[in-house]
């Protein structure tokens, strides 16, 4: 699927690095098939030495050399990047944007008839355990989207959504790792409060959340059913769950996702 594809990155930050590591670890392409661009010579030197890939300070060179181009730059500079590359982008170039809040229409207005895919990955792609949501532009056929899906599958799981769901994706999975870190930190503090050593408590909390998440994914059971399997009548777990309900933890998490989604919508209107 990617055997004969040249892949380019405009923007060589952490997200680009995570994607490069994923596709190389999965052996989807060879290092010789990847080229990266960034404004920092130091960053390019790091990527070159780490992955043995080609690098360039010229973003137009990425377009000339690549079949698939990942726009892994900050949202506030993507307009300048598009203005620079638009004159030489062809209809056969696949453009993939991971810039939060930048719509496909915004890109399509400058890149007429170019196949565009918008992706919202989350930070666990750095360890190959991310979730990435893809929205397809009008020219992004299955032949276009399949190779891109394969790239993001190398760093986690992939779902395809309509673009009007992207703000909700941002609120849930994009911001979600932060919610999980808050939960782990709170559970670890609780462990210390009841007498556990700090590092032991962090390990217990983190592994518990990871194990619970894997049970949901691998059993395909509803989380409520899995919760009931742990909750014996009159036991310790129901006592704890009762407190969570009393304190409104469920409602707080729902409100957090709603607030993050609304903020994403506001940012997208700028």
């Amino acid at each position: 699927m990617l055997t004969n594809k040249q892949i380019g990155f405009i923007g060589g930050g952490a997200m680009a690095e995570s994607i490069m590591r994923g596709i190389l670890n999965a052996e989807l392409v060879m290092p010789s098939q990847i080229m990266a661009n960034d404004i920092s010579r130091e960053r390019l030197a790091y990527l070159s030495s780490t992955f043995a890939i080609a690098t360039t300070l010229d973003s137009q060179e990425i377009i000339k050399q690549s079949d698939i181009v990942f726009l892994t730059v900050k949202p506030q500079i993507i307009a300048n990047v598009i203005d620079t590359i638009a004159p030489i982008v062809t209809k056969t170039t696949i453009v993939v944007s991971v810039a939060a809040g930048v719509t496909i229409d915004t890109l399509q207005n400058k890149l007429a008839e170019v196949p565009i895919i918008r992706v919202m990955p989350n930070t666990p792609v750095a360890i190959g355990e991310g979730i990435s949501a893809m929205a397809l532009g009008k020219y992004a056929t299955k032949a276009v989207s399949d190779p891109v899906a394969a790239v993001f599958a190398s760093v986690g799981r992939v779902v395809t959504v309509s673009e009007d769901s992207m703000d909700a994706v941002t609120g849930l999975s994009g911001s979600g790792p932060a919610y999980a870190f808050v939960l782990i930190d709170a559970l670890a503090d609780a462990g210390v409060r009841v007498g556990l050593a700090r590092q032991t408590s962090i390990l217990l909390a983190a592994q518990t959340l990871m194990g619970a998440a894997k049970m949901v994914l691998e059993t395909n059971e509803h989380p409520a059913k899995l919760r009931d399997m742990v909750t014996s009548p009159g036991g310790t777990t129901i006592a704890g769950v009762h407190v969570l309900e009393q304190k409104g933890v469920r409602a707080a998490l729902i409100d957090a996702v709603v607030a993050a989604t609304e903020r994403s919508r506001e940012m997208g209107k700028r």
Side-chain angles (χ1 to χ4, degrees):
M1 187 181 301
L2 291 164
T3 304
N4 299 314
K5 300 291 187 185
Q6 293 295 129
I7 299 176
F9 292 84
I10 297 180
M15 182 57 67
E17 180 180 348
S18 295
I19 297 170
M20 290 177 203
R21 180 171 287 107
I23 60 181
L24 289 172
N25 285 346
E27 298 183 346
L28 298 180
V29 299
M30 301 294 290
S32 59
Q33 294 171 252
I34 299 176
M35 178 180 283
N37 157 260
D38 199 85
I39 60 173
S40 167
R41 293 179 184 273
E42 291 76 15
R43 185 62 184 170
L44 293 180
Y46 166 80
L47 293 173
S48 178
S49 63
T50 301
F51 299 118
I53 62 171
T55 62
T56 177
L57 291 166
D58 184 358
S59 59
Q60 288 193 341
E61 189 63 25
I62 295 291
I63 303 300
K64 294 174 184 176
Q65 299 292 334
S66 305
D67 301 300
I68 305 174
V69 176
F70 289 87
L71 303 179
T72 43
V73 296
K74 300 293 185 183
Q76 56 266 34
I77 67 170
I78 198 167
N80 290 336
V81 169
I82 295 300
D83 286 341
T84 300
I85 66 174
I88 60 171
V89 174
T90 71
K91 297 176 184 178
T92 61
T93 304
I94 301 170
V95 175
V96 183
S97 171
V98 299
V102 180
T103 66
I104 292 173
D105 280 348
T106 297
L107 302 173
Q108 204 79 74
N109 286 339
K110 295 290 183 71
L111 304 173
E113 299 184 46
V114 172
I116 295 172
I117 297 177
R118 180 182 171 189
V119 184
M120 171 54 69
N122 63 5
T123 54
V125 297
I127 58 165
E129 293 292 347
I131 180 72
S132 301
M134 303 195 327
L136 310 181
K138 64 185 294 186
Y139 302 105
T141 63
K142 188 175 187 299
V144 166
S145 65
D146 280 356
V148 176
V151 167
F152 285 98
S154 74
V155 290
R157 298 188 181 223
V158 183
V159 297
T160 300
V161 301
S162 60
E163 192 180 19
D164 59 10
S165 296
M166 274 301 199
D167 292 314
V169 168
T170 301
L172 178 54
S173 62
S175 300
Y179 315 150
F181 296 141
V182 170
L183 289 173
I184 292 169
D185 191 33
L187 289 170
D189 278 349
V192 173
R193 174 67 179 82
V194 295
L196 294 170
R198 169 65 64 182
Q199 284 307 117
T200 300
S201 194
I202 291 172
L203 177 60
L204 287 168
Q207 182 65 35
T208 297
L209 261 68
M210 185 177 77
K214 288 193 74 172
M215 283 189 73
V216 173
L217 293 172
E218 294 183 9
T219 66
N220 206 31
E221 295 284 2
H222 193 284
K225 181 176 180 179
L226 295 173
R227 179 202 61 206
D228 288 347
M229 290 168 59
V230 189
T231 310
S232 303
T236 59
T237 304
I238 191 59
V241 169
H242 176 65
V243 174
L244 293 177
E245 296 295 349
Q246 277 187 322
K247 299 297 185 181
V249 172
R250 181 194 301 269
L253 289 170
I254 293 171
D255 288 347
V257 173
V258 171
T261 299
E262 291 175 349
R263 179 58 179 153
S264 180
R265 289 182 181 132
E266 290 172 5
M267 293 174 66
K269 293 175 182 177
R270 292 180 178 178

